[in-house]
């Protein structure tokens, strides 16, 4: 089954404790992206990757890191999480990004709480 | 920056009626507009895409229009059912390698 898999689904952590949210897709997609979703603000892009070893900042990259060493995986790293990073996070992929018409395929989300 | 706006108020309609959701955008017309459905606690799911040079697109009970003069897209669900209850997001291309999403409109279809 074609899918984007995120782990974990729920995560509660404390301020400053490094964490990684994993994302994997099995569709051989070139483009992957991370979004966070907050009430009243909608989905905002954190980072994206056009292909392996190519990553770039989205609208809200501060406090986050990503890497794209393999086509299928795009982990999101929070080196020193803070309470304002409490949010619902989505990983997404598509055949190509940019100004293309490729629809995004989303994972089921990771709900992160930082205390 | 490219903005996209959706009515934040929930839309409540009766089963069998047509639901119409609105998406307005600013600045230049995007090459494409996309519509997604999101259920609580789940990731958005792609529904339809409409190109700038298309006036209307249909898929089963769904219809999307794109009016570049009004800078607006309308999303219609005909013969609505309680199972159509969800939040519907529109997204535009433009401004780099990304889609910019609206905040979504929650639809509730009542029996």
């Amino acid at each position: 089954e074609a899918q984007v898999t995120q782990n974990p689904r729920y995560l509660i952590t404390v301020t400053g404790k490094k964490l990684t949210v994993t994302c994997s897709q099995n569709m051989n997609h070139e483009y992957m992206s991370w979004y966070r979703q907050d009430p009243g603000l909608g989905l905002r892009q954190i980072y994206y990757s056009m292909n392996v070893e190519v990553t770039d900042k989205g609208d809200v990259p501060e406090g986050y890191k990503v890497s794209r060493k393999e086509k299928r995986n795009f982990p999101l790293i929070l080196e020193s999480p803070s309470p304002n990073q409490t949010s619902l996070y989505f990983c997404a992929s598509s055949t190509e990004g940019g100004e293309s018409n490729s629809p995004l395929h989303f994972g089921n989300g990771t709900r992160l709480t930082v205390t | 920056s490219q903005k996209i706006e959706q009515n934040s108020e929930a839309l409540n309609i009766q089963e069998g009626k047509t639901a119409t959701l609105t998406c307005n955008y600013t600045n230049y017309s995007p090459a494409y507009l996309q519509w997604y459905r999101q259920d609580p606690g789940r990731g958005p799911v792609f529904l339809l895409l409409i190109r700038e040079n298309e006036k209307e697109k249909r898929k089963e009970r769904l219809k999307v229009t794109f009016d570049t003069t009004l800078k607006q897209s309308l999303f219609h669900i005909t013969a609505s059912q309680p199972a159509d209850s969800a939040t519907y997001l529109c997204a535009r291309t433009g401004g780099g390698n990304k889609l910019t999403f609206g905040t979504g409109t929650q639809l509730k279809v009542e029996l």
Side-chain angles (χ1 to χ4, degrees), chain A residues 101-113:
Chain A
N101 60 356
S102 303
L104 285 171
H105 297 255
F106 284 85
N108 274 329
T110 296
R111 187 167 291 281
L112 171 65
T113 303

Side-chain angles (χ1 to χ4, degrees), chain B residues 10 14 25 29-30 32-33 47 49 51 59 66 79 84 106:
Chain B
Q14 271 193 318
Y25 60 87
S29 286
Y32 310 97
L33 279 169
L47 296 174
L49 174 149
R51 292 177 172 76
K59 179 183 176 184
F66 194 167
D84 295 326
Q106 187 178 14

Side-chain angles (χ1 to χ4, degrees), chain A residues 8-27:
Chain A
R9 287 294 309 276
Y10 300 92
L11 181 57
I12 301 174
T13 190
V14 296
T15 299
K17 186 175 180 182
K18 181 180 178 180
L19 66 91
T20 300
V21 183
T22 63
C23 174
S24 180
Q25 51 93 4
N26 62 0
M27 295 168 281

Side-chain angles (χ1 to χ4, degrees), chain A residues 53-107:
Chain A
E53 300 293 0
V54 180
T55 64
D56 211 341
K57 296 177 181 179
D59 294 318
V60 289
E62 294 77 21
Y64 304 95
K65 281 175 55 176
V66 292
S67 69
R68 187 93 182 272
K69 293 186 171 60
E70 308 163 281
K71 199 170 190 179
R72 63 183 292 127
N73 295 323
F74 191 45
L76 179 70
I77 302 154
L78 284 72
E79 294 270 3
S80 183
S82 63
N84 64 12
Q85 292 178 298
T86 293
S87 187
L88 180 58
Y89 291 86
F90 289 102
C91 180
S93 71
S94 67
T95 52
E96 53 186 351
E99 299 286 334
S100 78
N101 60 356
S102 303
L104 285 171
H105 297 255
F106 284 85

Side-chain angles (χ1 to χ4, degrees), chain B residues 24-30 52 54-55 65-73:
Chain B
N24 295 301
Y25 60 87
T26 60
N27 297 331
Y28 64 84
S29 286
E52 184 181 14
E54 294 176 318
K55 290 267 194 289
T65 63
F66 194 167
D67 189 327
T68 55
T69 303
L70 293 177
K71 296 191 174 182
Q72 182 179 83
S73 175

